[in-house]
Amino acid sequence: MLTEEAARSLRDALADQTPMRAHNLLTAVAEALLSLEREREAEPTRQQQLLALIRSEGGEWTRERARAAYRVLGLTHPNGAELRLSDASADLQDLADAGLIKQYGKTRFGSA
């Protein structure tokens, strides 16, 4: 979402009737894109959110528990579809492969 400052800058540039209109509009668009990029970079990934939950909640984690957490957090695929058990399994396995969580057996995981 655009910051209020970026949105105001775009509105002002569109309303501008001076010879600098094109320059002001391009500057405002560039600032708006940069603000969107900064916002996107600040959002943690799905795996980062899962890791934070595993560390804060503790206990045993299965793909079912991970998918339930995704539902509570409102996390979906980029196309809006619900995350599948295979997505949760892959995320848990990736975190275990990176040494960020421990794997107990084939399908159980927990804090490292």
Side-chain angles (χ1 to χ4, degrees), residues 12-25:
D12 292 347
L14 285 170
D16 189 1
Q17 295 301 318
T18 68
M20 294 294 294
R21 181 176 195 254
H23 171 76
N24 292 340
L25 188 54

Side-chain angles (χ1 to χ4, degrees), residues 69-80:
Y70 292 155
R71 284 184 183 142
V72 169
L73 294 172
L75 299 175
T76 61
H77 276 285
N79 66 6

Side-chain angles (χ1 to χ4, degrees), residues 46-59 61 65-66 68-70 72-73 75 111:
R46 184 175 80 212
Q47 288 181 346
Q48 289 170 328
Q49 290 182 49
L50 180 59
L51 178 60
L53 274 174
I54 291 170
R55 288 182 173 166
S56 70
E57 298 301 317
W61 284 76
R65 186 176 179 191
Y70 292 155
V72 169
L73 294 172
L75 299 175
S111 284

